[in-house]
Amino acid sequence: RKEVEQDPGPFNVPEGATVAFNCTYSNSASQSFFWYRQDCRKEPKLLMSVYSSGNEDGRFTAQLNRASQYISLLIRDSKLSDSATYLCVVNQENTGNQFYFGTGTSLTVIP
Amino acid sequence: DAGVTQSPTHLIKTRGQHVTLRCSPISGHKSVSWYQQVLGQGPQFIFQYYEKEERGRGNFPDRFSARQFPNYSSELNVNALLLGDSALYLCASRRGGSGGYTFGSGTRLTVV
């Protein structure tokens, strides 16, 4: 079983739409969680950390449910510039501080 | 401030050869990690170094090795290259032992 599972998509949404990505992780000992964004043939860039209380950064909202081992990312009012692959990341500090990446969810925002 | 820098940006090697990839972390960052990313997949963890000591190793063969220098820069070495080693190799750094990593733009290795 993979450490992190994501729906690969692709998600094709019109500008202004709201889109949600989900991610599950297998190890309940996982301690920190992140969403990264990766543009085609570029490096991943940190979008936001994910906290149990939920956190928001502008149009982006991240949620963590430890009981269900589930992470989500909500993007409101999608922009063309949001088109990218979104990677769910789980950090397990008790296994050498490994970052486990999901395979990524592809988003294309259509004019 | 300069971000994470990696060299070279692109590299073509022949099967059986050896390769060394280099990474300079952001100034003040003491933790460096290496990842391999093949097309269509998320990055896979190879190594983590903190304060010049190996703190984590992913599920990669012994052909892969790394080290971190006193100035916190790092090298990833791969021996006896295989075609399947063709990938984007990413280096990432962070200040301490927690928080998100900042990635370099990677070295694209092609093994022919």
Side-chain angles (χ1 to χ4, degrees), chain B residues 13-101:
Chain B
K13 289 286 193 177
T14 305
R15 274 180 300 175
Q17 284 189 312
H18 161 91
V19 68
T20 297
L21 310 181
R22 295 179 174 83
C23 171
S24 292
I26 291 171
S27 178
H29 285 194
K30 299 180 179 180
S31 178
V32 171
S33 287
W34 288 93
Y35 294 81
Q36 180 196 66
Q37 187 175 25
V38 298
L39 199 62
Q41 299 293 319
Q44 297 294 310
F45 173 77
I46 310 176
F47 287 108
Q48 193 229 359
Y49 280 80
Y50 180 62
E51 285 285 15
K52 292 153 282 184
E53 289 187 8
E54 182 184 303
R55 298 299 180 98
R57 172 184 284 253
N59 188 23
F60 280 80
D62 291 344
R63 299 184 296 108
F64 288 76
S65 63
R67 53 181 176 167
Q68 186 177 34
F69 298 100
N71 66 354
Y72 302 107
S73 67
S74 178
E75 281 183 357
L76 175 69
N77 295 283
V78 187
N79 293 323
L81 285 166
L82 303 174
L83 296 179
D85 295 331
S86 296
L88 178 67
Y89 288 85
L90 294 160
C91 173
S93 75
R94 65 184 181 185
R95 186 171 300 275
S98 62
Y101 275 98

Side-chain angles (χ1 to χ4, degrees), chain A residues 5-65:
Chain A
E5 303 255 17
Q6 278 185 263
D7 179 351
F11 284 66
N12 299 313
V13 302
E15 268 187 291
T18 295
V19 61
F21 304 137
N22 303 316
C23 167
T24 57
Y25 60 96
S26 61
N27 191 333
S28 60
S30 300
Q31 291 160 298
S32 36
F33 310 87
F34 308 90
W35 283 100
Y36 276 74
R37 169 197 169 124
Q38 188 170 27
D39 293 289
C40 188
R41 301 187 70 81
K42 299 283 190 180
E43 73 274 21
K45 292 187 177 176
L46 179 63
L47 182 64
M48 56 199 305
S49 301
V50 187
Y51 305 112
S52 297
S53 55
N55 46 302
E56 188 173 310
D57 182 3
R59 298 180 293 107
F60 298 83
T61 300
Q63 295 277 352
L64 166 64
N65 184 322

